[in-house]
Amino acid sequence: MSNELEFLSRRVASGKLSRRDFLGRAAALGVTATFANSLLSSAARAAGPVKGGTLKAGLVGGESTNSLDPALFMTQVPFAFGKMWGELIVELSPEGTLENRIAEEIGSSDDAKVWTLKIRDGVEFHNGKTVTAEDVAATLERHSDEKSKSGALGYMKGIESIKASGKEVVLTLKEANADLPYLLSDYHLIVQPNGGKDKADAGIGAGPYKITTNEPGVRHGGERFANYWQGDKMGHADQIEIIVINDATARTSALQGGQVNMINRVEPKIVDLIKRLPGVTIRNHAGPGHYVFIMHCNTAPFDNNDLRMALKLAIDREEMLDKILRGYGSLGNDFPINASYPLFTEIEQRKYDPDKAKFHYKKSGHDGTVLLRTSDVAFPGAVDASQLFQQSAAKAGIKIELKREPGDGYWNEVWNKQPFSASYWGGRSTQDQMYSTAYLSTADWNDTRFKRPDFDKLVLAARAELDEAKRKQMYHDMAVMVRDEGGLILPMFNQFIDATGAKVAGWVDDPHQELMNGYALAKCWLEA
C-alpha cells in the first residue's frame, strides 16, 4: 500500500494525477487525509518547485500609514512584504543556524569586538545597480542613527564605527558581542542603495520580487526579479500579492473561497473548524512570540510598582491560555524569554492571586478605574483576552475600563504611545536582541518605558561575557528585574498559526516568525 501511494503521490507532483483522485484512492486504502497530504507535500518537495502563477496571501497587520522604509516596519504586512522585495545581510534558517545572504562570510577578532563582513559578488538591486560594501555600510549607519527611528536602533547603538573597504565592511563594537551575526538578521536591516539615505521609502531592494503595487492598508504586489541572486531557492511564482484583510472572518472566507492561497494569524478558537475545510492545511508551530499587556513605567498611575504588581497578579493566565489560545501556546511569566532561546532559565511561575493583587493595589494608593486600550489587531483574541483580564481583576477589587480601538492606526496611535494597551511581540533570535530592542533605556521600541541604568549595564555586560555559565546567570538576573519591576504583563506565549489552501507546496515550518519567517510567498509554489 505504501509503495502504491508513494508512486501515486509522485504522479500528482508531476501533474499526471489530480489531487482529488489521489485522496480518493488513499481513502479507499484506509489512509487518513493527514497522512495522505503529508505524502503529497514530500512528493512536491522531491519534484522541486513549480515556476509560474500568482501566489496570494490575505494578511492581518496592514494599515494606511504603513511605509516602505524598513526602519519603520512594525506589523505583519510590512514585515512579510519586506521579505519579498528586500534582502538581508544574513538570515536565520528554520533550524536556527545563520544563512549568509549579502554577506558571503562573517568573521571576528578573538575578543568579538571587531567584525568583518565580506560582501557577496553579483548581487543586484532592482534598479540594476550592484550591491556594494558601501551600500551595506550606509544601511547599518542609517539604522544606527536616532533620526531613523529604526526598530533595530536599540542594539545598533552598540556599534562604535562602520567602515567599508573594497568588498568588506568592518564593524568595531563598543563592547564585545558574540551574538552580532544573529543581530544582523533583524528584518529592519534590508540593504538599500546608499543605505536608504537618499530615499528610505523608495522600495528598491535586492530581494526575489520587484514592487509593482503598493497601496498601504489595501494591497501590495510584486513580480519576480529576473536577476535575483538565488532564484533557484526563492521567487517561484511569477507574481505575488498581499491583500490586507484585518478581519479574521473575512480572512478565513477568502482562503476558503480561493481568493487567497494563505493567511496568517488564524484564531485558535476556529482552528478545528478550519481543519475540516477541503484543501486547507493548518500550519502551526511554537516559537518566541508572545501576547502582552504593556504599561508605561514612567506614566501615572503605572509609575507605581505596587500598581503594576497588582495588575500582574490580577490576571488569570491559566484561564487565558485555555480560552484564548486553546492549547496553542504556553504560560507566560512577565518576561519575554521562553525555552525557544538559548541560555533560558526557569523562574518560579507567577500565578493568579486576587488577594495579593488586592494588597498591592491598596498599597499603591490608586483609586478609580484603570484604562486599558485593546483592538482586534493587537493579537488574535485580544478583545476577548482583555475582557477576561477585566473580569479576573474585578475579583481583586481592580476596575479595568476597556476601550476598543480601531485596527487602522492602532500601531501608530496607540502602541508605544498610550500608557496601557494590548500588544504582541514576535520574539527575536537571541536574548540580547530581545532585551536590546525593547528594554534598553535608549531603545526606540521600549514600549514599557522600563528605563533602568543598572539593567542597561547588565545587558552590555552580558554581550561581552564569553563564559556561558556567567552569561546565563546574567540573563536570569535580567529576567527577574523585568518580571518583578517592569511594565510587562505577559500571560502567554503563542504559537504561530497560519493556513494554506489547496495546491500550495514547499511549506517548511519556521519557529522564528509566522509565514515561514515571512518568506512563505517567496519559498512556496502552486502545484500544477
Side-chain angles (χ1 to χ4, degrees):
M1 178 180 70
S2 176
N3 289 338
E4 179 184 355
L5 286 178
E6 288 178 3
F7 169 73
L8 293 176
S9 67
R10 290 195 294 271
R11 288 180 63 81
V12 175
S14 63
K16 297 176 181 177
L17 180 70
S18 74
R19 184 186 186 94
R20 176 177 292 181
D21 289 343
F22 172 80
L23 293 175
R25 179 57 181 159
L29 293 171
V31 174
T32 66
T34 300
F35 180 69
N37 279 309
S38 71
L39 283 177
L40 285 180
S41 297
S42 297
R45 285 193 292 270
V50 176
K51 296 286 186 181
T54 300
L55 263 179
K56 297 182 179 182
L59 306 184
V60 61
E63 300 176 290
S64 59
T65 54
N66 289 152
S67 170
L68 288 176
D69 179 359
L72 305 180
F73 288 177
M74 287 192 289
T75 52
Q76 299 94 324
V77 169
F79 163 75
F81 193 46
K83 292 290 183 88
M84 297 303 97
W85 63 265
E87 186 61 286
L88 299 172
I89 297 168
V90 292
E91 183 56 284
L92 289 176
S93 73
E95 296 75 32
T97 58
L98 284 170
E99 291 181 349
N100 291 330
R101 293 289 181 87
I102 286 178
E104 188 174 43
E105 294 178 14
I106 300 180
S108 74
S109 58
D110 291 339
D111 63 0
K113 286 191 69 174
V114 179
W115 290 82
T116 302
L117 317 179
K118 182 180 178 182
I119 305 308
R120 188 182 302 275
D121 287 329
V123 180
E124 186 177 311
F125 285 122
H126 299 156
N127 61 5
K129 295 181 179 179
T130 300
V131 178
T132 66
E134 286 76 15
D135 294 315
V136 174
T139 295
L140 296 176
E141 286 171 355
R142 188 171 81 85
H143 288 270
S144 303
D145 185 349
E146 289 191 16
K147 294 179 182 178
S148 72
K149 297 188 179 300
S150 174
L153 182 63
Y155 60 84
M156 290 300 293
K157 284 186 175 182
I159 300 177
E160 187 171 69
S161 68
I162 303 169
K163 295 181 180 179
S165 177
K167 295 181 179 180
E168 294 183 341
V169 176
V170 179
L171 309 178
T172 301
L173 310 185
K174 295 175 183 176
E175 305 286 346
N177 192 342
D179 286 342
L180 181 77
Y182 291 89
L183 305 184
L184 295 178
S185 69
D186 189 296
Y187 64 90
H188 298 94
L189 302 180
I190 289 174
V191 176
Q192 298 174 273
N194 194 30
K197 291 180 178 181
D198 302 321
K199 186 171 173 52
D201 61 354
I204 297 173
Y209 288 94
K210 187 175 181 178
I211 295 174
T212 56
T213 304
N214 181 53
E215 300 175 32
V218 182
R219 68 180 66 240
H220 307 269
E223 62 183 7
R224 184 195 296 137
F225 180 44
N227 294 338
Y228 181 54
W229 71 277
Q230 54 172 358
D232 57 327
K233 295 182 179 179
M234 288 198 284
H236 307 303
D238 291 334
Q239 307 275 342
I240 58 99
E241 184 177 7
I242 294 174
I243 302 171
V244 178
I245 311 177
N246 287 324
D247 181 77
T249 301
R251 211 161 49 249
T252 303
S253 297
L255 180 66
Q256 184 178 7
Q259 285 83 33
V260 299
N261 306 107
M262 60 185 70
I263 60 174
N264 67 338
R265 291 207 168 189
V266 176
E267 294 191 338
K269 65 183 179 182
I270 63 169
V271 167
D272 290 341
L273 176 64
I274 290 183
K275 282 180 177 179
R276 296 197 291 268
L277 297 177
V280 172
T281 303
I282 288 290
R283 312 284 189 173
N284 64 290
H285 52 277
H290 45 283
Y291 298 160
V292 298
F293 300 97
I294 50 177
M295 304 173 284
H296 288 183
C297 296
N298 63 353
T299 304
F302 309 104
D303 54 351
N304 184 300
N305 195 44
D306 278 300
L307 179 65
R308 298 198 298 270
M309 183 58 70
L311 289 166
K312 293 173 184 178
L313 292 166
I315 193 167
D316 191 335
R317 302 158 200 272
E318 295 276 4
E319 179 185 38
M320 208 167 280
L321 181 65
D322 179 55
K323 293 182 177 179
I324 303 300
L325 293 187
R326 305 200 178 205
Y328 291 96
S330 58
L331 286 177
N333 201 17
D334 299 335
F335 65 98
I337 306 299
N338 65 1
S340 299
Y341 290 90
L343 307 182
F344 168 73
T345 56
E346 293 281 355
I347 296 175
E348 182 182 359
Q349 177 64 51
R350 177 165 287 144
K351 297 180 180 180
Y352 177 50
D353 193 329
D355 291 331
K356 283 187 178 179
K358 186 178 296 185
F359 167 80
H360 284 283
Y361 184 65
K362 183 178 180 180
K363 188 178 177 183
S364 75
H366 181 71
D367 185 28
T369 60
V370 176
L371 178 61
L372 170 62
R373 287 175 167 84
T374 188
S375 174
D376 291 319
V377 302
F379 58 82
V383 174
D384 291 339
S386 300
Q387 291 170 345
L388 288 176
F389 192 4
Q390 182 185 49
Q391 293 163 14
S392 64
K395 295 176 183 178
I398 303 173
K399 295 179 182 179
I400 294 179
E401 177 188 348
L402 298 182
K403 184 175 182 181
R404 187 170 180 172
E405 301 278 4
D408 193 46
Y410 187 79
W411 300 108
N412 283 287
E413 303 300 328
V414 178
W415 175 77
N416 213 13
K417 299 282 196 311
Q418 299 296 336
F420 192 26
S421 65
S423 185
Y424 81 98
W425 278 88
R428 291 296 186 268
S429 57
T430 66
Q431 292 201 45
D432 175 60
Q433 190 177 18
M434 187 68 239
Y435 285 126
S436 296
T437 301
Y439 298 92
L440 270 182
S441 298
T442 54
D444 195 54
W445 281 13
N446 186 334
D447 57 5
T448 59
R449 305 298 190 269
F450 179 71
K451 298 185 178 184
R452 291 271 302 268
D454 53 345
F455 180 86
D456 295 346
K457 289 179 181 178
L458 199 52
V459 171
L460 298 179
R463 284 182 189 171
E465 182 55 66
L466 301 181
D467 183 291
E468 189 171 285
K470 292 180 180 178
R471 198 177 192 202
K472 186 174 183 179
Q473 182 60 47
M474 289 177 176
Y475 285 136
H476 173 274
D477 295 343
M478 289 155 61
V480 171
M481 291 173 71
V482 170
R483 174 184 183 270
D484 294 344
E485 301 172 54
L488 180 71
I489 302 174
L490 197 164
M492 49 195 170
F493 285 90
N494 62 288
Q495 290 189 13
F496 298 113
I497 310 176
D498 306 309
T500 55
K503 295 189 176 182
V504 174
W507 187 279
V508 177
D509 286 339
D510 191 316
H512 299 106
Q513 282 282 1
E514 62 184 36
L515 294 170
M516 296 173 57
N517 197 20
Y519 288 107
L521 284 172
K523 291 186 175 182
C524 290
W525 61 90
L526 292 173
E527 295 174 337

